[in-house]
Amino acid sequence: QIGYDTCQSISIAGKRHKITTIMMTYNYRNKSCAVMAIAVLLLTSAFVIGLSPASSRRSSIHPVAQQNRIATTSIISSPFALSSKSSDEESQQKTSTTSLYDDLPAKKPWTFGILTSGFPPQQLLVPFVKFVTFQVWRLMMNELVTHDEQGRFIRESFQAGNNPAPLDLDGSYRLYLGNPCPWCHRVKAAVAVLGVENQDIPITMLIDDAEKASKGGWILPKPSEEDKTSIAEELITGDLAGVYNFCYRDILGERERYHGRCTAPLLVDVNAGKIVTNESNEIMVLLNDYSRRKGSFDTTTIDLRPVGMEEELDKATKYWFNLLWNGAYRCGFATSQVAYDEAASDVLKGLSEMNDLLASRPYLMGDAITEVDLKNFAWVTRHDYAYTIIFKSPGGRIAQYRNIAAWVKRMVSDYPKLLESLDMSDACGSYYRQLFMLNFGRIVPNIPSAREWVSAL
């Protein structure tokens, strides 16, 4: 229970103020009430202190800095110190004694003035604020993704579709991809390398905007006039959740909505209005098979998944997923130091092994490019300006790894369209704009284009 009373007055910073005293009683078995009561007391105290005029508060200038300012002023203004100096020497003397500190702005954000008031005591205030902030942050992280009891990030499967049949060469399909997503990027990179033209399998580039999406974070761009006349409205307007709802319309009840996560990449059979799959590995396999069959008489056709190497490729995919691709996310979404340290160790191991492996071969699986190279390419392009900063993923810059840097340059030299598969500034910037629980200030660093980044390696 929280009550209040008003005292006569007290003196704060030389001023008389009437204040409100908080009186609290609570059941010790209810810890949440105790925390709330203490919070009310601290905030009320801070508010009272904050009401005192700025001119009457304790000076925020450190005593030593104040003395330095006085000394600086006295040197400049003393008629004896500079009386025998020439005008040039006088100018140098004045310049050398100019303060390095900024003047206080005429207008600045209003604050309670808690830290400069000394009440509540810093020994109580700092631990309390840390505790409350951490609890709120952890709650938001647990709402965003799944964790175990030790704070380790658990990547759940939200797969729609299962073991899809090969794509019909005469069928009508559509890919939904989002530029910021690395799992979408690997699919778009495969489209670029395989030369699957847009008229074969059109791509809808999603926009990441969680504030406008009804569910998830993807909304659809404005449809073209051609799409308006040939495709169901639900597949080209609104958001990605609407696409999922439409594709599951036969099994959902009236006004019922799809309850799973609406993730991308997503491959849809437009004619049937059904989801083929939303699993990036399966989509890459389907695209490679589609390209192989469509260009079966073309000797220049690239095969990202050669026959006979399937088991080896799947094993490599799982290995790099655990160390690097998911390792960076495990760093960023860890809610305990133990969980972070485990993930960071895996990332460092993955970078070292990848660099060593590429010392003896041009591509990760040998002499030719494969799907594993494209999957690692999508991860590497986000490492420097997204994962190492906002996810605290270790390892430094890619440029520090000579063989990985050479591999990146070789990839974009052999397959120039890879650079067109990514808007690096938008992709990396999205992490800072959308993952607000990891970037409360919403500050986005300077991020180069993919071409600029490659040139600097």
Side-chain angles (χ1 to χ4, degrees):
Q1 297 176 350
I2 302 176
Y4 63 91
D5 195 9
T6 303
C7 297
Q8 294 295 324
S9 64
I10 63 171
S11 178
I12 300 177
K15 298 287 184 177
R16 303 297 295 182
H17 295 276
K18 287 185 178 182
I19 69 166
T20 299
T21 303
I22 303 296
M23 300 180 297
M24 299 174 293
T25 60
Y26 56 83
N27 188 335
Y28 282 94
R29 290 175 295 181
N30 193 335
K31 294 182 180 180
S32 61
C33 289
V35 172
M36 291 179 62
I38 295 173
V40 171
L41 175 60
L42 291 174
L43 292 175
T44 304
S45 302
F47 181 72
V48 171
I49 297 300
L51 290 177
S52 60
S55 60
S56 66
R57 294 184 194 170
R58 192 178 304 171
S59 174
S60 61
I61 302 176
H62 193 279
V64 175
Q66 183 68 25
Q67 291 176 5
N68 289 340
R69 287 192 176 188
I70 295 173
T72 299
T73 305
S74 63
I75 291 174
I76 295 176
S77 61
S78 172
F80 303 102
L82 304 176
S83 59
S84 60
K85 305 288 186 181
S86 65
S87 60
D88 291 341
E89 292 174 331
E90 182 178 351
S91 176
Q92 293 176 2
Q93 182 71 19
K94 288 183 178 181
T95 302
S96 65
T97 56
T98 301
S99 174
L100 299 177
Y101 300 98
D102 296 328
D103 293 330
L104 291 177
K107 293 183 179 180
K108 59 180 182 178
W110 186 86
T111 65
F112 284 116
I114 300 175
L115 294 179
T116 57
S117 69
F119 183 81
Q122 182 171 303
Q123 295 88 338
L124 296 178
L125 177 65
V126 173
F128 175 78
V129 173
K130 281 185 175 181
F131 172 78
V132 173
T133 304
F134 175 73
Q135 296 302 323
V136 172
W137 170 78
R138 186 166 61 179
L139 175 63
M140 290 192 297
M141 292 290 283
N142 288 336
E143 288 290 333
L144 178 67
V145 295
T146 303
H147 296 87
D148 66 9
E149 294 181 351
Q150 299 299 318
R152 299 182 185 90
F153 165 57
I154 304 298
R155 184 179 291 278
E156 295 183 82
S157 172
F158 300 101
Q159 184 169 349
N162 188 26
N163 297 323
L167 301 181
D168 186 350
L169 294 181
D170 297 322
S172 179
Y173 303 96
R174 180 168 291 261
L175 270 171
Y176 295 84
L177 306 176
N179 178 66
C181 174
W183 319 103
C184 291
H185 183 198
R186 56 168 64 175
V187 173
K188 193 174 182 184
V191 170
V193 171
L194 292 171
V196 179
E197 301 298 335
N198 196 53
Q199 58 263 31
D200 294 329
I201 303 180
I203 296 176
T204 295
M205 291 305 299
L206 303 167
I207 303 169
D208 60 321
D209 193 337
E211 296 179 12
K212 293 183 179 180
S214 62
K215 185 178 181 180
W218 301 112
I219 62 174
L220 274 61
K222 184 178 179 180
S224 65
E225 293 300 323
E226 181 182 355
D227 286 344
K228 288 181 181 179
T229 59
S230 59
I231 301 176
E233 181 181 2
E234 292 83 354
L235 296 178
I236 55 175
T237 60
D239 55 21
L240 193 61
V243 176
Y244 274 81
N245 290 331
F246 178 76
C247 291
Y248 283 106
R249 62 193 181 282
D250 293 339
I251 61 175
L252 295 175
E254 186 177 357
R255 296 185 180 181
E256 187 180 357
R257 295 290 180 262
Y258 177 69
H259 296 294
R261 291 214 177 182
C262 304
T263 62
L266 178 67
L267 180 60
V268 171
D269 185 332
V270 174
N271 290 337
K274 303 290 184 181
I275 290 176
V276 178
T277 180
N278 65 351
E279 215 291 319
S280 62
N281 292 310
E282 285 189 348
I283 294 176
M284 292 182 75
V285 171
L286 292 173
L287 290 176
N288 188 72
D289 176 73
Y290 179 90
S291 175
R292 181 193 294 156
R293 288 185 290 123
K294 191 162 188 176
S296 58
F297 300 104
D298 185 357
T299 57
T300 63
T301 298
I302 298 168
D303 195 347
L304 297 176
R305 192 177 173 85
V307 176
M309 286 187 65
E310 293 88 350
E311 185 177 349
E312 185 179 357
L313 290 167
D314 291 342
K315 184 178 179 181
T317 290
K318 184 176 182 179
Y319 186 78
W320 296 117
F321 170 85
N322 291 330
L323 292 183
L324 295 179
W325 313 336
N326 198 45
Y329 279 79
R330 286 163 51 213
C331 286
F333 292 141
T335 58
S336 71
Q337 190 64 49
V338 170
Y340 171 81
D341 289 342
E342 292 175 356
S345 177
D346 284 344
V347 172
L348 289 172
K349 178 182 178 183
L351 282 168
S352 177
E353 292 189 5
M354 183 179 177
N355 192 59
D356 292 342
L357 186 63
L358 288 169
S360 59
R361 57 182 68 176
Y363 291 100
L364 287 168
M365 302 304 292
D367 295 329
I369 189 172
T370 66
E371 61 182 36
V372 175
D373 292 283
L374 298 184
K375 294 171 184 177
N376 262 310
F377 182 77
W379 181 87
V380 165
T381 52
R382 288 160 175 78
H383 174 76
D384 284 1
Y385 290 94
Y387 300 155
T388 61
I389 304 174
I390 196 168
F391 280 172
K392 308 181 194 67
S393 186
R397 301 281 178 160
I398 292 300
Q400 299 172 219
Y401 302 89
R402 183 178 61 181
N403 299 323
I404 297 179
W407 166 78
V408 171
K409 291 184 175 181
R410 185 181 305 112
M411 292 265 287
V412 299
S413 175
D414 293 348
Y415 307 97
K417 287 188 176 181
L418 276 178
L419 284 178
E420 302 173 9
S421 68
L422 173 69
D423 181 342
M424 190 167 175
S425 179
D426 173 70
C428 294
S430 175
Y431 287 82
Y432 301 91
R433 294 189 297 268
Q434 303 300 337
L435 298 177
F436 61 88
M437 69 293 298
L438 297 178
N439 183 33
F440 283 106
R442 295 181 291 183
I443 304 299
V444 181
N446 291 326
I447 302 170
S449 67
R451 192 176 301 277
E452 292 171 335
W453 174 73
V454 172
S455 298
L457 291 177

